[in-house]
Amino acid sequence: MKDLTQGSIPKHLISMALPMMIGMLIQTLYFIVDLYFVGKLGSAALAGLSLAGNAMFLIFALTQILNVSTAALVSHAVGAKDQQDANLTFNQSMMLSTVVGVFVCIIGYWCAETYLDLISQDSETVMMGLAYLHWFIPCMALQFIMVSISSALRGTGIVKPTMVIQTLSILLNIILSPILIAGWGSGYAMGIAGAGFASSISVVFAVVLLCYYFITTDRYVSVDFSLWRINIPRIKKLLAIGLPAGGEFFLMFVYMGAIYWLIQPFGADAQAAFGLGSRVMQALFLPAMAIAFAAPAIAGQNFGAQNYQRVRETFTWTAIMTCSLMAVITVVCLTQAELMLAGFSDDKAVILISVAFLQMICWNFVPAGLVFTCSGMFQSLGNTMPALLSTATRLITFILPALWLSKQSDFQIEQLWYVSVATVCIQALVSFSFLRREFKKRLPRDNVPNDHYDDLNKTEAIS
């Protein structure tokens, strides 16, 4: 266990974010390898990968329920020095992750084709997406076990082992992708299906290593099957914190799916270009997201220990770091977008649309950094509903104008990017306003605990 209630907050953020950042940067290479080799198969394959990959937002929504709630409740228990409570949370999370993982695997194979038919009119794109998903679904199902273990460790302040294991997993994926997609060395090219198979193999490898580490080392929480019996009060706590956070990613799934649906008339090239630009954008976001993901454990432990001033300082430092990184990324996209995208497709139309997307959408990067920071702080306070509401605001303010624009005779794809930039700016303002309200409500002045603070007010009123 790592005590995050003492010492320099910026140092804690960097020390916790650095392993995440390294893992995420290597994960960027994984994205790039998949994009590079699948892009060589043509625009339909690239579009199929993008459409199928969007399903990961739905998986993120489900894993985020356990990820956020487990990390928040474990960090609060650690701050309060209650190991028994931390163990109960972890084991209930593991039980839920096992059940949901099996359910996702069954539903994934059942509904994959229906999902792809809904958001694409191109039969070749649907065929490519289906080939990828059939091999990728085991990877999605196994994410739940990984998330339960890694989030519990993160709640105790431990991030390095999980990041090392995830990094090794991604490196394996990078090695396997060209072998399975293009048939390097084997002579048997699986095409886009190889990308999904490589991901599933690498996740199996990561789960085995993570379980081995967890079983063989000393840790604050441990697997206890006697605690796997359904505990309704604890499950309610997990869902109360996790469902709004999961709802955020579900709304992102709907948002991305809506864009794919809206740009169907522009053909497979447009869907491939949006998918390529989105993946590159997500990869560029990873360093800033590493900082934002490190913040909840730090703020959560201090919130549990009632060090309220340090919670506020965690927000300030996290916002400065994430927004600064996002500003740098904005400049890179404005000046080097074509250079970043040129190697991923031989289709000039795909590259042109993707470059335009990045150069327009990058204006929302700094506001997005603030959104990431606020979401992390909501997690640390154990109330993720404001983050869900801010994401819902973004979805509504995007969908309504986008639907209206799509019905106009002069509808252009670039109009969607302008609307998207405006809606992220609105979301950032909404998130920040909600966070200020949460701070006023949950963080008493002068580090006075909530109940004691109320007693002081009553005493003053009587006197």
Side-chain angles (χ1 to χ4, degrees):
M1 184 190 76
K2 185 175 182 179
D3 186 0
L4 303 174
T5 61
Q6 305 292 329
S8 168
I9 290 174
K11 287 183 179 179
H12 283 322
L13 277 171
I14 293 170
S15 67
M16 291 193 66
L18 193 57
M20 290 186 186
M21 198 177 300
I22 293 170
M24 287 178 168
L25 287 173
I26 294 175
Q27 189 173 11
T28 303
L29 294 177
Y30 152 64
F31 285 139
I32 290 172
V33 169
D34 266 7
L35 286 173
Y36 180 81
F37 285 99
V38 172
K40 300 303 179 185
L41 301 176
S43 60
L46 190 56
L49 176 69
S50 302
L51 297 179
N54 185 51
M56 272 304 293
F57 277 103
L58 188 56
I59 300 305
F60 287 154
L62 295 172
T63 56
Q64 193 75 346
I65 294 172
L66 296 174
N67 186 16
V68 171
S69 58
T70 303
L73 291 178
V74 169
S75 68
H76 291 177
V78 170
K81 305 295 190 287
D82 191 341
Q83 187 174 7
Q84 184 177 356
D85 188 70
N87 264 304
L88 177 60
T89 294
F90 169 64
N91 281 279
Q92 288 293 295
S93 175
M94 286 289 288
M95 180 268 294
L96 289 173
S97 70
T98 303
V99 172
V100 176
V102 172
F103 180 76
V104 162
C105 202
I106 295 169
I107 295 298
Y109 284 110
W110 187 21
C111 299
E113 189 170 2
T114 302
Y115 159 70
L116 291 169
D117 283 332
L118 180 65
I119 57 177
S120 180
Q121 297 173 349
D122 185 78
S123 59
E124 188 179 0
T125 296
V126 171
M127 181 184 70
M128 290 288 188
L130 199 59
Y132 175 78
L133 274 178
H134 278 169
W135 289 94
F136 187 68
I137 286 171
C139 167
M140 295 194 291
L142 288 169
Q143 294 292 326
F144 294 90
I145 294 292
M146 286 184 62
V147 162
S148 286
I149 297 175
S150 59
S151 59
L153 291 173
R154 191 171 73 252
T156 65
I158 299 172
V159 296
K160 187 175 180 179
T162 54
M163 287 304 105
V164 169
I165 290 170
Q166 287 176 356
T167 299
L168 292 174
S169 168
I170 292 163
L171 287 173
L172 178 62
N173 199 326
I174 292 170
I175 294 169
L176 288 176
S177 286
I179 294 172
L180 296 175
I181 296 171
W184 284 11
S186 67
Y188 177 70
M190 293 180 66
I192 192 172
F197 191 28
S199 296
S200 291
I201 293 173
S202 66
V203 170
V204 170
F205 173 74
V207 169
V208 171
L209 282 185
L210 198 56
C211 290
Y212 176 78
Y213 166 79
F214 201 79
I215 292 169
T216 58
T217 59
D218 292 331
R219 62 265 170 212
Y220 196 77
V221 293
S222 59
V223 176
D224 182 350
F225 289 110
S226 68
L227 297 176
W228 282 43
R229 290 190 296 270
I230 295 175
N231 186 306
I232 298 299
R234 185 49 46 108
I235 291 174
K236 284 183 177 179
K237 270 190 173 183
L238 287 166
L239 295 180
I241 297 172
L243 278 175
E248 273 192 90
F249 277 92
F250 176 75
L251 292 180
M252 285 303 298
F253 166 73
V254 173
Y255 167 78
M256 296 290 285
I259 292 180
Y260 282 118
W261 182 77
L262 287 165
I263 65 177
Q264 285 183 86
F266 297 99
D269 283 351
Q271 290 190 320
F274 172 64
L276 173 59
S278 297
R279 283 219 168 192
V280 170
M281 179 184 71
Q282 291 162 14
L284 292 171
F285 278 6
L286 294 178
M289 291 176 69
I291 298 289
F293 288 171
I298 299 169
Q301 281 197 24
N302 282 285
F303 181 71
Q306 299 184 347
N307 293 336
Y308 301 124
Q309 183 56 36
R310 285 177 62 85
V311 177
R312 294 178 184 273
E313 290 174 6
T314 302
F315 165 72
T316 301
W317 280 107
T318 305
I320 291 171
M321 291 180 181
T322 54
C323 291
S324 297
L325 284 169
M326 287 298 204
V328 172
I329 294 168
T330 300
V331 174
V332 171
C333 287
L334 287 172
T335 59
Q336 304 297 329
E338 188 170 359
L339 181 63
M340 288 189 294
L341 295 166
F344 295 108
S345 176
D346 297 325
D347 190 321
K348 292 182 179 179
V350 170
I351 296 299
L352 184 64
I353 297 170
S354 199
V355 167
F357 166 77
L358 275 183
Q359 290 182 334
M360 293 178 191
I361 210 74
C362 69
W363 292 107
N364 72 22
F365 287 3
V366 173
L370 182 59
V371 171
F372 293 154
T373 301
C374 292
S375 293
M377 297 307 298
F378 291 133
Q379 294 171 27
S380 69
L381 297 175
N383 179 19
T384 53
M385 183 59 73
L388 175 62
L389 294 175
S390 85
T391 303
T393 300
R394 178 188 178 185
L395 182 64
I396 293 169
T397 54
F398 174 81
I399 291 290
L400 295 179
L403 285 173
W404 180 81
L405 287 168
S406 69
K407 303 299 181 184
Q408 307 307 305
S409 59
D410 58 347
F411 175 50
Q412 299 293 323
I413 195 171
E414 290 83 4
Q415 293 170 336
L416 295 177
W417 315 149
Y418 289 126
V419 174
S420 181
V421 169
T423 58
V424 173
C425 292
I426 293 170
Q427 183 186 9
L429 290 173
V430 171
S431 290
F432 184 67
S433 298
F434 281 153
L435 187 62
R436 288 187 64 186
R437 187 188 67 178
E438 287 298 302
F439 276 3
K440 288 179 181 179
K441 184 167 61 175
R442 292 172 174 269
L443 307 183
R445 293 169 294 181
D446 302 324
N447 286 348
V448 181
N450 281 308
D451 52 353
H452 183 53
Y453 189 63
D454 291 340
D455 291 341
L456 287 177
N457 287 337
K458 291 176 184 177
T459 302
E460 289 174 1
I462 293 172
S463 60

